Each structure stands twice: as C-alpha cells, then as structure tokens.
Amino acid sequence: MSFSISQVSSSSHALTPYGWDEDWAAAFAPYAEQGLLPGRVVRVDRGQCDVVTPDGTLRADTAFVVPRDPMRIVCTGDWVAVDPDGDPQFVRTLLPRRTAFVRSTSSQRSEGQVLATNIDHIVICVSLAVELDLGRLERFLALAMSSTAGAALLGEGAGGGEYEAHPLVLLTKADLVPDPVTLAHLVEDIERIAPGVQVLTVSSATGEGVDVFGAVVGSGTSVLLGTSGAGKSTLANTLLGEDVMDVRAARDVDGKGRHTTTTRNLLVLPGGGVLIDTPGLRGVGLWDAKSGVGQVFSEIEDLARRCRFHDCGHETEPGCAVLGAIEDGSLPERRLDSYRKLLRENHRIAAKTDARLRSETLREWKRRGAEGRAAMDMKRGRIR
C-alpha cells in the first residue's frame, strides 16, 4: 500500500494531538513518496516500540535503525517512518530530531543516552519531601539547557536556535511545606541558581498549582525528569484525570521512590499537549553540556570576563574578579565549587569522545610534566 503526500497530510490529522505539524509533514514528504507511514514513538522496550500512526497504534521492531549507535537508537518522542505492509513491521528511519535530552551513561565507554526527543519543555521535578540538593539541580539544568545543542550532536542539524526546549523547575509535594514563608524561601533558593528559569510549586494531593502547571504543558511536548519519589507519575495521573501510570508511596525514611515507572511513556493530555513520563534517574552524567553549564553559572562567566588574565583559573591569580566576588560575599563559594566540578566532568567526557581534544589534553599534560621536571632539575642544581 502506498501513500501520496496529500494523503499523508490529510490522514495525519489523527497525529495532531501528538504534535504533528506542517514542518513534520514537510520533513516526512520524501518518505511518503516511498509509501511509508508517519508515526510518533510512544514507548520503547526490548528492541521494539509502540508507534501511533494515522491508522492506529502498531508494534514495530527498531533494529533497522542503526542499532549499534546508542545516539541513534529509537527513543520515546521520535517521529519515524514505518512500513505499513511489513511483516514484521520495522521502523525504517528517524525524522530529524528538533531537540533531545541526552546524558552520559554510567559505562566506562562514556556513551551518550538519549532520554527523550522532540521536546518543548523539560520539567525537572524536585520533591519537597527531602532536603534540596542544589548541586544535583544545577546538573539537571546544565543538561536541559544543552538540549537544543543535543539535536545537532546527534547529527540532525535541526537545532540551530529554531527549536528550543525550555527548562522548568517544579517543586512537588508542596503540601509538605505548609508555611508559605518557608515555601517562598525555597523558591528563591532555586531561582538564584536557575537564572531565567520558571519555578513552580505543585501538590498532587491538594491540587495546588496543578492548573498553572497544566497551562504551561498544555501545548507542545513536555518531559518529566527527576529522581524516584519526586512524584512524576502521580502528577501525570493528576493531569490525565485517571490512574494511567502505576505509583507507589515513597519511603518515609528518605523520601525515595522504588522505580515504579520502568519505561518512558508518551501520553496525550486531555487539555492539550503531550507528556513524557520517565523512570527515576539515579545518575545524570553530563554530555556535551558546556553551553548549558555556562548558562546555569552565567554570573560566574560574567565575572570571569572582568578578570585581569583572560585564561584566569580563579585559583590564586591576582586581579581575579571571581575570587573577589567570593571574598565580598556576592558569590557563594558552593557555586564556584559546583561550576568547577561540572566543567571538569564535561571536559573529561568530551575528551573520551573527541580524538582531537584527547590529543590536545595529552599534549598539555606532557607540557606540564616537562615544565615540572625542568623546574625540579633547576631546583636540584641550585641545591648542589
């Protein structure tokens, strides 16, 4: 069975609730000429995926799409082309990704893992049932702010500023902080480390803030990210108006969940918009997040431009504006420590994946080693 471009455009109205638009239709046009069917991936597991198409939801194998490249594995949120007459059915190709949330895996090979694609809002869920971990939140934000660059990293070339995924910090379980003054202070703490990022509070138990959050995610595609126990699936059920996602109570001792959600699921909200619920993340290693780190710590990078030396390391150099801000109290030392840590980690990951950078790093280590040995030889010569 074959499909013309006009047939795809008319029949794909069924995909409009899933985010189909004229740009996706234009991107799919070459595949329509091949008789393929458009669809969006709503779930992936065990090498297969559920794809919603104009003809309904079908089960397709993902092995056809560059299975050995972890950055090209079919992911929840992808728009794909499938063969409607295949038996078994395969995903034939991925349409260029507009945005992607990517983290590094915990493997020694430091591969990237794509968690969600073609997203407009990255919702970082932080539970108020436990003490705020500002360092972890800064890490999430750095990855979120690098999401548009992530699409270019995947070889898509669809980013370039035309499409962006906007981060949002959602403080969940707000009912556990009944004092409005305390809650306001917590919001201020987050706003200080998340420049330009919207911060909302919500409680699925009382309904507080759900309407405001629902309005934000009522258009485009949003992904819920956070640790287990942050209330992501409960919030998804609240927005859906029914218990679609399985949930369990978090442990009272530490507020942690038990990874009830095991796959990433794409859900259409009744009020409009698309939501991707994800399993709790234990680790969020950086991946090509230099630009995101710079945005999260924009005040440090602004200060660095005023340092006396352009290559200032902000350690002991004279005329360092960053150290000056630490001394006068305008910049918390914790922020500088976190900034350094994330930059080092991102550089280390990049060095493992970029042969040129690896070579430059090795030459720098050799240069410093040679200088150190020369200094030691001179010192020993003077002692003699």
Side-chain angles (χ1 to χ4, degrees):
M1 181 178 181
S2 62
F3 292 82
S4 68
I5 297 177
S6 59
Q7 287 176 318
V8 170
S9 299
S10 61
S11 65
S12 62
H13 287 303
L15 296 178
T16 299
Y18 292 87
W20 184 263
D21 57 30
E22 292 183 358
D23 289 342
W24 287 122
F28 185 77
Y31 305 106
E33 295 175 349
Q34 301 173 28
L36 299 179
L37 194 65
R40 192 166 195 190
V41 177
V42 298
R43 176 187 171 100
V44 180
D45 63 276
R46 299 179 182 179
Q48 294 187 314
C49 63
D50 294 334
V51 183
V52 60
T53 74
D55 292 345
T57 301
L58 56 83
R59 188 75 168 166
D61 197 300
T62 65
F64 192 84
V65 184
V66 198
R68 294 184 181 180
D69 184 353
M71 301 295 283
R72 295 286 301 172
I73 291 176
V74 175
C75 181
T76 301
D78 274 330
W79 286 96
V80 299
V82 295
D83 186 348
D85 300 322
D87 185 21
Q89 292 173 313
F90 285 89
V91 172
R92 294 296 176 181
T93 190
L94 299 179
L95 269 63
R97 292 163 170 166
R98 293 178 178 176
T99 57
F101 187 92
V102 184
R103 68 168 179 177
S104 68
T105 65
S106 58
S107 68
Q108 295 298 316
R109 292 186 295 177
S110 300
E111 295 175 337
Q113 180 188 21
V114 185
L115 298 185
T117 64
N118 301 315
I119 43 182
D120 303 287
H121 308 286
I122 298 175
V123 183
I124 304 169
C125 299
V126 179
S127 172
L128 291 175
V130 295
E131 184 177 355
L132 290 179
D133 186 340
L134 298 180
R136 173 180 284 271
L137 180 55
E138 288 164 341
R139 180 180 292 270
F140 268 107
L141 286 168
L143 284 172
M145 292 180 176
S146 302
S147 59
T148 302
L153 177 70
L154 300 178
E156 310 297 353
E162 183 179 358
Y163 300 105
E164 291 185 82
H166 301 282
L168 180 151
V169 177
L170 191 68
L171 300 179
T172 64
K173 306 184 181 181
D175 55 291
L176 300 181
V177 186
D179 179 23
V181 175
T182 301
L183 186 60
H185 285 318
L186 291 172
V187 171
E188 290 175 1
D189 288 342
I190 301 300
E191 289 176 337
R192 276 194 290 269
I193 69 165
V197 176
Q198 187 174 16
V199 181
L200 298 176
T201 59
V202 67
S203 169
S204 296
T206 66
E208 175 188 349
V210 173
D211 55 342
V212 177
F213 177 62
V216 173
V217 299
S219 61
T221 298
S222 305
V223 60
L224 299 180
L225 298 172
T227 60
S228 292
K232 300 184 298 298
S233 295
T234 300
L235 180 60
N237 287 337
T238 301
L239 292 174
L240 290 165
E242 57 180 319
D243 292 338
V244 174
M245 304 303 300
D246 186 24
V247 297
R248 297 178 186 174
R251 297 193 299 245
D252 292 334
V253 64
D254 56 11
K256 293 183 179 180
R258 290 173 284 183
H259 294 284
T260 306
T261 303
T262 57
T263 60
R264 295 182 284 278
N265 302 276
L266 187 147
L267 311 162
V268 175
L269 299 176
V274 176
L275 193 69
I276 299 177
D277 189 22
T278 66
L281 297 175
R282 292 188 179 93
V284 278
L286 298 187
W287 180 268
D288 193 45
K290 184 178 180 180
S291 63
V293 173
Q295 292 180 67
V296 174
F297 298 91
S298 58
E299 81 279 26
I300 296 179
E301 300 218 333
D302 288 342
L303 286 168
R305 296 186 186 98
R306 290 152 43 190
C307 291
R308 179 182 301 177
F309 305 107
H310 74 277
D311 59 347
C312 183
H314 319 308
E315 299 285 352
T316 59
E317 295 89 346
C320 176
V322 174
L323 294 181
I326 295 289
E327 292 175 1
D328 65 25
S330 60
L331 177 66
E333 190 169 357
R334 187 205 67 79
R335 283 282 282 175
L336 180 58
D337 290 342
S338 182
Y339 174 68
R340 287 169 172 163
K341 178 180 179 181
L342 294 184
L343 278 184
R344 286 195 301 267
E345 178 181 332
N346 191 71
H347 185 82
R348 185 172 64 251
I349 294 296
K352 289 182 178 180
T353 56
D354 188 322
R356 180 186 57 79
L357 185 55
R358 276 201 305 272
S359 179
E360 292 176 354
T361 300
L362 181 59
R363 286 198 298 270
E364 178 65 11
W365 287 346
K366 289 182 177 180
R367 183 187 66 79
R368 292 183 180 183
E371 290 177 350
R373 287 191 296 272
M376 184 59 68
D377 289 342
M378 290 179 62
K379 182 177 180 181
R380 288 172 177 170
R382 285 196 299 269
I383 292 176
R384 292 194 188 103

